[in-house]
Amino acid sequence: GVLERRNALLDNEVFSFDHVCVQRFKAREPGLLTGVCYHGDMLDHVALAKGANATVLHPMLTDMRPDALREAHAAGLLVFPWTADDPEDIRALAALGVDGITTSYPARAREIIRGR
């Protein structure tokens, strides 16, 4: 694929609300970072990711729970909530210890996290 031709498999992530699509990407490119997006609270966040063979959870910002974050980390998963554009939301997520933040304003988020 395009990522392979550009030697960019390790520099990118494929994530989607279509978890079957995520599973197919991972089957084709096992080294590719893949994630599942979702809205709403899940009974088992880890099982959701494992079912799609994903390594990243992308919960909606308002669905982010500290216990789900701990469970995901214990299972070796990364957590990147979406979409945090408000400075207070960015600060709160950083304080929780998420692995990344999906935002429309990455430069602003970096400044907020770095305390500028």
Side-chain angles (χ1 to χ4, degrees), residues 71-89:
E71 291 167 6
H73 283 164
L77 298 170
L78 301 171
V79 179
F80 302 162
W82 59 275
T83 296
D85 292 336
D86 181 85
E88 290 307 311
D89 290 335

Side-chain angles (χ1 to χ4, degrees), residues 18-107:
D18 183 340
H19 300 171
V20 172
C21 179
V22 170
Q23 187 179 48
R24 288 179 181 152
F25 264 95
K26 189 67 166 191
R28 186 166 188 267
E29 296 293 346
L32 182 64
L33 189 64
T34 55
V36 289
C37 298
Y38 57 98
H39 173 52
D41 200 6
M42 300 291 131
L43 288 175
D44 191 338
H45 298 260
V46 172
L48 179 72
K50 299 294 183 183
N53 200 15
T55 49
V56 184
L57 288 169
H58 289 272
M60 185 174 179
L61 167 67
T62 55
D63 298 322
M64 185 68 247
R65 288 193 348 254
D67 60 322
L69 177 65
R70 285 190 299 275
E71 291 167 6
H73 283 164
L77 298 170
L78 301 171
V79 179
F80 302 162
W82 59 275
T83 296
D85 292 336
D86 181 85
E88 290 307 311
D89 290 335
I90 293 168
R91 284 186 195 94
L93 290 172
L96 271 178
V98 299
D99 302 290
I101 298 171
T102 304
T103 181
S104 303
Y105 308 102

